[in-house]
Coordinates of all heavy atoms in Angstrom, one line a residue:
Chain A
S61 N 112.2 122.4 95.7 CA 113.1 122.3 94.5 C 112.3 121.7 93.3 O 112.4 122.2 92.2 CB 114.2 121.3 94.8 OG 113.8 120.2 95.5
E62 N 111.4 120.8 93.6 CA 110.8 120.1 92.5 C 109.4 119.5 93.0 O 109.2 119.3 94.2 CB 111.7 119.0 92.0 CG 111.5 118.5 90.6 CD 112.5 117.4 90.3 OE1 113.6 117.4 90.8 OE2 112.2 116.5 89.5
E63 N 108.6 119.2 92.1 CA 107.3 118.6 92.5 C 107.5 117.2 93.1 O 108.4 116.5 92.7 CB 106.4 118.4 91.2 CG 105.0 118.0 91.5 CD 104.2 117.8 90.2 OE1 104.7 118.1 89.2 OE2 103.1 117.2 90.3
I64 N 106.7 116.9 94.1 CA 106.9 115.7 94.8 C 106.3 114.5 94.0 O 105.2 114.6 93.5 CB 106.2 115.6 96.2 CG1 106.8 116.8 97.0 CG2 106.5 114.3 96.9 CD1 106.2 116.8 98.4
S65 N 107.0 113.4 93.8 CA 106.5 112.3 93.2 C 107.1 111.1 93.8 O 108.2 111.2 94.4 CB 106.8 112.2 91.7 OG 108.2 112.0 91.4
L66 N 106.5 109.9 93.7 CA 107.0 108.7 94.2 C 108.4 108.4 93.7 O 109.4 108.1 94.4 CB 106.2 107.5 93.9 CG 105.0 107.2 94.8 CD1 104.2 106.0 94.3 CD2 105.5 106.9 96.2
E67 N 108.6 108.6 92.4 CA 109.8 108.3 91.7 C 110.9 109.3 92.3 O 112.0 108.8 92.5 CB 109.7 108.6 90.2 CG 108.8 107.5 89.5 CD 107.3 107.8 89.8 OE1 106.9 108.9 90.2 OE2 106.5 106.8 89.6
R68 N 110.6 110.5 92.4 CA 111.6 111.5 92.8 C 112.0 111.2 94.3 O 113.2 111.2 94.7 CB 111.1 112.9 92.7 CG 112.1 113.9 93.3 CD 111.8 115.3 93.0 NE 112.6 116.1 94.0 CZ 112.0 116.6 95.1 NH1 110.7 116.5 95.3 NH2 112.7 117.3 95.9
L69 N 111.0 110.9 95.1 CA 111.3 110.6 96.5 C 112.2 109.3 96.6 O 113.2 109.3 97.4 CB 110.1 110.3 97.3 CG 109.2 111.5 97.7 CD1 108.0 111.0 98.5 CD2 110.0 112.4 98.6
Y70 N 111.9 108.4 95.8 CA 112.7 107.1 95.8 C 114.1 107.3 95.3 O 115.0 106.6 95.6 CB 112.0 106.0 95.0 CG 112.4 104.7 95.4 CD1 112.3 104.3 96.8 CD2 112.8 103.7 94.5 CE1 112.7 103.0 97.2 CE2 113.1 102.4 94.9 CZ 113.1 102.1 96.3 OH 113.4 100.8 96.7
S71 N 114.3 108.3 94.4 CA 115.6 108.5 93.8 C 116.5 109.3 94.8 O 117.7 109.3 94.6 CB 115.5 109.3 92.5 OG 115.1 110.7 92.8
L72 N 115.9 110.0 95.7 CA 116.7 110.7 96.7 C 117.5 109.7 97.6 O 116.9 108.7 98.0 CB 115.8 111.6 97.6 CG 115.3 112.8 97.0 CD1 114.4 113.5 98.1 CD2 116.4 113.8 96.7
K73 N 118.7 110.1 98.0 CA 119.4 109.3 98.9 C 118.8 109.5 100.3 O 118.3 110.6 100.6 CB 120.9 109.6 99.0 CG 121.6 109.2 97.7 CD 123.1 109.6 97.8 CE 123.8 109.1 96.5 NZ 125.2 109.7 96.4
Q74 N 118.9 108.5 101.1 CA 118.2 108.6 102.4 C 118.8 109.9 103.2 O 118.0 110.6 103.9 CB 118.5 107.4 103.3 CG 117.8 107.4 104.6 CD 117.9 106.1 105.4 OE1 117.7 105.0 104.8 NE2 118.3 106.2 106.6
E75 N 120.0 110.1 103.0 CA 120.7 111.3 103.7 C 120.1 112.6 103.2 O 119.8 113.5 104.0 CB 122.2 111.2 103.5 CG 122.9 112.4 104.1 CD 123.9 111.8 105.2 OE1 123.8 110.7 105.6 OE2 124.8 112.6 105.5
E76 N 119.8 112.7 101.9 CA 119.3 113.9 101.3 C 117.9 114.1 101.8 O 117.4 115.2 102.1 CB 119.3 113.8 99.8 CG 120.7 113.7 99.1 CD 120.6 113.5 97.6 OE1 119.9 112.5 97.2 OE2 121.3 114.3 96.9
L77 N 117.1 113.0 101.8 CA 115.8 113.0 102.3 C 115.7 113.5 103.7 O 114.9 114.3 104.1 CB 115.1 111.6 102.1 CG 113.7 111.5 102.4 CD1 112.8 112.4 101.6 CD2 113.2 110.0 102.2
A78 N 116.6 113.0 104.5 CA 116.7 113.3 105.9 C 116.9 114.8 106.1 O 116.3 115.5 106.9 CB 117.8 112.5 106.6
Q79 N 117.8 115.4 105.3 CA 118.1 116.8 105.5 C 116.9 117.7 105.1 O 116.6 118.6 105.7 CB 119.3 117.2 104.6 CG 120.6 116.7 105.1 CD 120.8 117.0 106.6 OE1 120.6 118.2 107.1 NE2 121.1 116.0 107.4
A80 N 116.2 117.2 104.1 CA 115.0 118.0 103.6 C 113.9 118.0 104.7 O 113.2 118.9 104.9 CB 114.4 117.4 102.3
I81 N 113.7 116.9 105.4 CA 112.6 116.8 106.4 C 113.1 117.1 107.8 O 112.3 116.9 108.7 CB 112.0 115.3 106.3 CG1 113.0 114.3 106.8 CG2 111.5 115.0 105.0 CD1 112.4 112.9 107.0
R82 N 114.2 117.6 107.9 CA 114.8 118.0 109.2 C 113.9 118.7 110.2 O 113.8 118.3 111.3 CB 116.0 118.9 109.0 CG 117.2 118.6 109.7 CD 118.3 119.6 109.5 NE 119.0 119.9 110.8 CZ 119.9 119.2 111.3 NH1 120.4 118.2 110.6 NH2 120.5 119.6 112.4
P83 N 113.1 119.7 109.7 CA 112.2 120.4 110.7 C 111.2 119.5 111.4 O 110.7 119.8 112.4 CB 111.5 121.4 109.8 CG 112.4 121.6 108.6 CD 113.1 120.3 108.4
A84 N 110.9 118.3 110.8 CA 109.9 117.5 111.3 C 110.4 116.6 112.5 O 109.7 115.9 113.1 CB 109.3 116.5 110.3
G85 N 111.7 116.8 112.8 CA 112.3 116.0 113.9 C 112.5 114.6 113.6 O 111.9 114.0 112.6
Y86 N 113.3 113.9 114.4 CA 113.5 112.4 114.2 C 113.9 112.2 112.7 O 113.4 111.2 112.1 CB 112.3 111.5 114.5 CG 111.8 111.7 115.9 CD1 110.4 111.6 116.1 CD2 112.6 111.8 117.0 CE1 109.9 111.7 117.4 CE2 112.1 112.0 118.3 CZ 110.7 111.9 118.5 OH 110.2 112.0 119.7
F87 N 114.6 113.1 112.1 CA 114.7 113.1 110.6 C 115.4 111.8 110.1 O 115.0 111.4 109.0 CB 115.3 114.4 110.0 CG 116.6 114.7 110.7 CD1 117.8 114.2 110.3 CD2 116.6 115.7 111.8 CE1 119.0 114.6 110.9 CE2 117.8 116.0 112.4 CZ 119.0 115.5 112.0
N88 N 116.3 111.3 110.8 CA 117.0 110.1 110.3 C 116.0 108.9 110.3 O 115.9 108.1 109.3 CB 118.2 109.7 111.1 CG 119.3 110.7 110.8 OD1 119.7 111.0 109.7 ND2 119.9 111.3 111.8
V89 N 115.3 108.6 111.4 CA 114.4 107.5 111.4 C 113.3 107.7 110.4 O 112.9 106.8 109.7 CB 113.6 107.3 112.8 CG1 114.1 106.1 113.5 CG2 113.8 108.5 113.6
K90 N 112.8 109.0 110.3 CA 111.7 109.2 109.4 C 112.0 109.1 108.0 O 111.2 108.7 107.2 CB 111.1 110.6 109.7 CG 110.2 110.6 111.0 CD 109.6 112.0 111.3 CE 108.8 111.9 112.6 NZ 108.3 113.2 113.0
A91 N 113.3 109.5 107.6 CA 113.7 109.3 106.2 C 113.7 107.8 105.9 O 113.3 107.4 104.8 CB 115.1 109.9 106.1
R92 N 114.2 107.0 106.8 CA 114.2 105.6 106.6 C 112.8 105.0 106.5 O 112.5 104.2 105.6 CB 115.0 104.9 107.8 CG 115.1 103.4 107.7 CD 116.2 102.8 108.5 NE 116.4 103.6 109.7 CZ 115.8 103.4 110.9 NH1 114.8 102.5 110.9 NH2 116.1 104.1 112.0
R93 N 111.9 105.5 107.4 CA 110.5 105.0 107.4 C 109.8 105.4 106.1 O 109.0 104.6 105.5 CB 109.8 105.5 108.6 CG 110.3 104.9 109.9 CD 109.6 105.5 111.1 NE 110.1 104.8 112.3 CZ 109.7 105.1 113.5 NH1 108.8 106.0 113.7 NH2 110.2 104.4 114.6
L94 N 110.0 106.6 105.7 CA 109.4 107.1 104.4 C 109.8 106.3 103.3 O 109.0 105.8 102.4 CB 109.7 108.6 104.2 CG 108.8 109.4 103.3 CD1 107.3 109.1 103.6 CD2 109.1 110.9 103.5
R95 N 111.1 106.0 103.2 CA 111.7 105.1 102.2 C 111.1 103.7 102.2 O 110.8 103.1 101.2 CB 113.2 105.0 102.3 CG 113.9 106.2 101.6 CD 115.4 105.9 101.6 NE 115.9 105.0 100.6 CZ 116.0 105.2 99.3 NH1 115.6 106.3 98.8 NH2 116.4 104.2 98.5

Side-chain angles (χ1 to χ4, degrees):
Chain A
S61 48
E62 207 179 325
E63 189 185 349
I64 303 180
S65 69
L66 274 177
E67 293 74 21
R68 176 169 160 260
L69 282 180
Y70 202 52
S71 73
L72 285 177
K73 288 179 181 173
Q74 186 175 307
E75 181 117 342
E76 296 175 309
L77 185 55
Q79 287 312 308
I81 64 173
R82 226 184 138 84
Y86 305 142
F87 50 85
N88 287 310
V89 248
K90 283 178 180 174
R92 181 160 32 84
R93 290 176 178 182
L94 200 44
R95 274 187 76 76

